[in-house]
């Protein structure tokens, strides 16, 4: 069977042409069209696959972690930790250098302005001329306290050649700290000069003595001490407190790695607004409503600060505010700084039997006193007994590990 497809004729009366197409031709044509379509479709799918592959490469799927990957992550964490430690060390070093620079500038400014001298001989010792020490212990005393000083000399404070040897071999400096009377060169000053000539154990301050001037005296003590001795720690103690120097030294040595440390028996007592009472605070209103408590600070019988804090006080003494109570004043100078506050209860043991029981248990106290008296009650009569029952032993300070 054949199909005929007719076409229209041309002009001029000529005869129209005819084309005959078989089924076989149609099948060939269809197959050819199918093949072309199939080829085009395959290329389209290939293009889509390549596009999807690109997207997968840009957003790779997480692979299960292997042991090698876990080890690599651990190494990275260790490196980050080491880097953090190095940064902290650098921060401490930079802080120390900045403080040294500030100290140097302050000294130069004071020399230019002719400020009040810090040392008794009216000349500040250069840094390179300072005596190296581990700790400087300043025993706060008054003109009327000769018997207290003698009782301390007869109990826990070495005397004469032993005192010098303690400085040379252990780096422990111990001095009674006192200023001048309101009439320099008077009978009170001459009595102290005679006593110092006998014992050589005083640190004289450029300061007029007076109970209400204890905050100023504390500033001047640290300033004078830090300009005379290059010590790791500076300690203030009252002359009616018993101290074991060896235990004190080993206690401070445990904190030698800390750049700024404030050690003592921390407390937060009430702010006394009522006039006429002991420890009245005239500036009570600065601490909030009546009945508030002070910020945390070390009790004034004994406390220690590290070198950087003593130098900070020396550099900024003119700007440091004083409150009625000396221990509160020191706490206020430190509270806003980046400082480690160490609450060490061995620095405020009671007198026997408290300190005696602790000594028998192997926990010898740093310091002992009675809270009711803010020191050892009747210390002149009792401190030698406290020393006998609570003392660390004659050789303890020489065997103390201070490094």
């Amino acid at each position: 069977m054949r199909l005929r497809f007719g076409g229209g004729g041309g002009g001029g009366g000529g005869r129209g042409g005819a084309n005959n197409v078989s089924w076989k031709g149609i099948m060939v044509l269809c197959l050819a069209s199918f093949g072309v379509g199939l080829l085009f479709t395959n290329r389209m799918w290939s293009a889509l696959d390549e596009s999807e592959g690109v997207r997968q490469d840009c957003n790779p799927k997480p692979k299960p972690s292997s042991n090698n990957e876990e080890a690599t992550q651990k190494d990275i964490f260790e490196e980050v930790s080491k880097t953090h430690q190095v940064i902290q060390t650098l921060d401490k070093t930079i802080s120390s250098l900045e403080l040294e620079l500030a100290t140097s500038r302050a000294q130069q400014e004071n020399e230019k302005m002719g400020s009040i001298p810090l040392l008794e001989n009216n000349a500040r010792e250069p840094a390179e001329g300072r005596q190296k020490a581990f700790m400087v212990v300043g025993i706060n005393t008054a003109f009327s306290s000769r018997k207290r000083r003698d009782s301390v000399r007869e109990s826990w404070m070495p005397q004469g050649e032993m005192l010098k040897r303690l400085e040379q071999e252990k780096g422990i400096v111990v001095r009674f700290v006192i200023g001048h009377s309101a009439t320099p060169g008077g009978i009170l000053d001459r009595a102290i000069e005679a006593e110092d000539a006998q014992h050589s154990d005083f640190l004289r301050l450029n300061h007029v003595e007076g109970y209400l001037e204890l905050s100023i005296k504390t500033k001047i003590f640290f300033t004078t001490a830090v300009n005379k001795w290059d010590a790791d720690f500076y300690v203030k103690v009252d002359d009616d407190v018993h101290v074991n120097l060896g235990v004190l030294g080993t206690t401070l040595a445990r904190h030698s790695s800390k750049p700024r440390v404030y050690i003592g028996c921390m407390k937060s007592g009430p702010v006394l607004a009522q006039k006429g009472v002991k420890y009245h605070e005239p500036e009570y209103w600065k601490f909030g409503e009546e009945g508030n408590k002070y910020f945390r600070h070390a009790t004034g019988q004994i406390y220690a600060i590290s070198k950087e804090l003593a130098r900070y006080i020396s550099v900024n003494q003119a700007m440091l505010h004083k409150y009625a109570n000396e221990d509160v004043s020191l706490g206020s100078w430190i509270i806003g700084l980046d400082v480690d506050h160490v609450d060490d209860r061995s620095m405020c043991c009671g007198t026997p039997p408290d300190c005696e029981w602790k000594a028998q248990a192997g926990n010898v106290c740093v310091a002992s006193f009675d809270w009711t008296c803010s020191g050892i009650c009747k210390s002149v009569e009792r401190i030698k007994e406290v020393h006998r029952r609570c003392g660390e032993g004659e050789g303890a300070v020489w065997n103390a590990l201070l490094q």
Side-chain angles (χ1 to χ4, degrees), residues 238-310:
D238 288 340
D239 61 5
D240 56 353
V241 172
H242 179 267
V243 178
N244 285 312
L245 290 173
V247 182
L248 173 61
T250 55
T251 298
L252 298 184
R254 290 198 295 267
H255 304 285
S256 293
S257 61
K258 301 173 182 177
R260 293 170 296 277
V261 62
Y262 173 35
I263 308 172
C265 289
M266 299 295 165
K267 66 174 184 177
S268 179
V271 181
L272 302 179
Q274 184 180 355
K275 292 183 179 180
V277 300
K278 192 176 183 180
Y279 307 127
H280 165 64
E281 178 58 72
E283 296 181 274
Y284 63 89
W285 59 273
K286 288 185 177 180
F287 298 92
E289 300 299 326
E290 187 172 344
N292 272 5
K293 291 186 176 182
Y294 288 113
F295 41 78
R296 192 71 63 178
H297 62 281
T299 186
Q301 285 84 354
I302 181 172
Y303 49 75
I305 60 175
S306 56
K307 178 189 300 185
E308 283 199 23
L309 294 181

Side-chain angles (χ1 to χ4, degrees), residues 189-352:
D189 292 311
R190 291 199 301 271
I192 292 295
E193 290 167 4
E195 188 178 344
D196 192 25
Q198 178 183 359
H199 296 283
S200 299
D201 56 5
F202 278 92
L203 175 64
R204 301 299 300 276
L205 305 179
N206 187 6
H207 164 71
V208 177
E209 284 291 320
Y211 178 78
L212 297 179
E213 301 299 325
L214 288 179
S215 294
I216 297 176
K217 184 177 181 179
T218 300
K219 282 198 294 185
I220 297 176
F221 160 62
F222 286 123
T223 300
T224 304
V226 82
N227 281 279
K228 188 173 180 64
W229 291 282
D230 179 17
D232 295 330
F233 294 96
Y234 299 84
V235 183
K236 177 263 176 180
V237 59
D238 288 340
D239 61 5
D240 56 353
V241 172
H242 179 267
V243 178
N244 285 312
L245 290 173
V247 182
L248 173 61
T250 55
T251 298
L252 298 184
R254 290 198 295 267
H255 304 285
S256 293
S257 61
K258 301 173 182 177
R260 293 170 296 277
V261 62
Y262 173 35
I263 308 172
C265 289
M266 299 295 165
K267 66 174 184 177
S268 179
V271 181
L272 302 179
Q274 184 180 355
K275 292 183 179 180
V277 300
K278 192 176 183 180
Y279 307 127
H280 165 64
E281 178 58 72
E283 296 181 274
Y284 63 89
W285 59 273
K286 288 185 177 180
F287 298 92
E289 300 299 326
E290 187 172 344
N292 272 5
K293 291 186 176 182
Y294 288 113
F295 41 78
R296 192 71 63 178
H297 62 281
T299 186
Q301 285 84 354
I302 181 172
Y303 49 75
I305 60 175
S306 56
K307 178 189 300 185
E308 283 199 23
L309 294 181
R311 292 167 64 190
Y312 172 83
I313 293 172
S314 174
V315 171
N316 299 284
Q317 58 173 316
M319 296 185 294
L320 297 177
H321 185 70
K322 64 180 182 67
Y323 291 100
N325 301 301
E326 159 250 343
D327 53 354
V328 172
S329 294
L330 179 69
S332 72
W333 304 336
I334 292 175
I335 193 68
L337 306 180
D338 185 14
V339 174
D340 285 312
H341 286 59
V342 178
D343 182 18
D344 192 327
R345 309 315 289 185
S346 72
M347 297 180 74
C348 54
C349 295
T351 55

Side-chain angles (χ1 to χ4, degrees), residues 38-99:
L38 184 62
L39 178 63
F40 178 76
T41 303
N42 287 339
R43 290 192 174 184
M44 286 293 293
W45 281 112
S46 297
L48 289 173
D49 290 341
E50 291 177 359
S51 176
E52 183 65 24
V54 171
R55 284 195 294 267
Q56 290 177 354
D57 290 339
C58 293
N59 301 283
K61 295 181 180 179
K63 298 179 180 180
S65 58
S66 64
N67 292 335
N68 291 336
E69 289 177 342
E70 292 178 356
T72 301
Q73 291 178 354
K74 183 178 179 180
D75 291 340
I76 292 174
F77 290 145
E78 290 179 354
E79 290 299 323
V80 170
S81 178
K82 291 178 181 178
T83 303
H84 183 64
Q85 292 176 358
V86 171
I87 291 173
Q88 286 183 324
T89 302
L90 288 174
D91 286 341
K92 293 178 181 179
T93 303
I94 292 171
S95 175
S96 178
L97 291 174
E98 288 177 344
L99 188 54

